[in-house]
Amino acid sequence: MIREACKNDLKEMLELYLFLHEKNVPEESKHLEQTWNKIITDSDHHLIVCEIGGKIVSSCVCVIIPNLTRNVRPYAFIENVVTHEDYRGKGYATDCLNYAKKISEKNKCYKMMLLTGSRESNILSFYKKVGYNSSDKTAFVQWMDI
């Protein structure tokens, strides 16, 4: 089942992110709770999950960003695409990304952008297979040293 995350999904999401790039689950804190509440109550922030047998096994984030160009049409930003290693290759991430595309279409976005830190050819091929390209834009990242 593909759906948007709800308040009770925080623990499972933090555990799933261990298969993304996180090394550990953050400790419970007021900041974590406030951030989670902000994410799940923001109508432009969509945390999409694939649930199989009551377990969240795949996810992506789709943020709709208001915009003054392209006839004042928003665009969508996709991040944190992840699937639990035991569930990979079954189409669950594709299902999450297709759900994100429907949200983007509903919001009349003129484009969807996705960034990945992966250099693995199978992951890059996957993104191309589901409709993304790496030739239209050049991405730059500036990490903040806090």
Side-chain angles (χ1 to χ4, degrees):
M1 172 175 64
I2 305 297
R3 62 176 176 81
E4 292 200 43
C6 62
K7 188 166 180 76
N8 296 333
D9 291 331
L10 175 59
K11 183 178 185 297
E12 276 195 88
M13 287 306 307
L14 295 175
E15 290 171 1
L16 181 63
Y17 284 156
L18 294 174
F19 295 96
L20 185 62
H21 49 64
E22 295 301 305
K23 302 291 185 227
N24 52 51
V25 173
E27 291 184 25
E28 289 185 31
S29 68
K30 186 82 167 167
H31 178 64
L32 174 62
E33 181 183 333
Q34 289 172 337
T35 301
W36 178 244
N37 287 332
K38 187 174 183 178
I39 288 169
I40 62 171
T41 59
D42 182 344
S43 63
D44 287 328
H45 197 133
H46 304 272
L47 180 51
I48 300 159
V49 300
C50 176
E51 183 179 5
I52 303 295
K55 177 183 174 118
I56 295 174
V57 300
S58 190
S59 178
C60 74
V61 171
C62 174
V63 179
I64 307 300
I65 301 170
N67 181 43
L68 295 175
T69 67
R70 304 288 180 157
N71 203 25
V72 196
R73 288 176 61 198
Y75 58 93
F77 185 73
I78 308 299
E79 255 290 7
N80 296 338
V81 180
V82 61
T83 301
H84 186 291
E85 67 183 1
D86 295 341
Y87 294 84
R88 292 181 181 159
K90 299 179 184 333
Y92 300 138
T94 300
D95 292 343
C96 288
L97 290 170
N98 286 338
Y99 193 94
K101 186 175 182 179
K102 288 178 186 173
I103 290 169
S104 300
E105 290 169 342
K106 179 181 172 190
N107 282 276
K108 297 180 177 33
C109 292
Y110 78 93
K111 71 177 177 184
M112 296 174 67
M113 293 189 305
L114 180 148
L115 287 178
T116 181
S118 178
R119 301 278 187 249
E120 293 181 39
S121 60
N122 63 324
I123 293 175
L124 301 178
S125 294
F126 164 70
Y127 289 133
K128 289 178 183 176
K129 181 180 166 191
V130 295
Y132 294 86
N133 75 71
S134 59
S135 59
D136 289 347
K137 296 275 186 176
T138 301
F140 292 89
V141 175
Q142 183 177 50
W143 296 101
M144 307 306 290
D145 185 28
I146 301 174

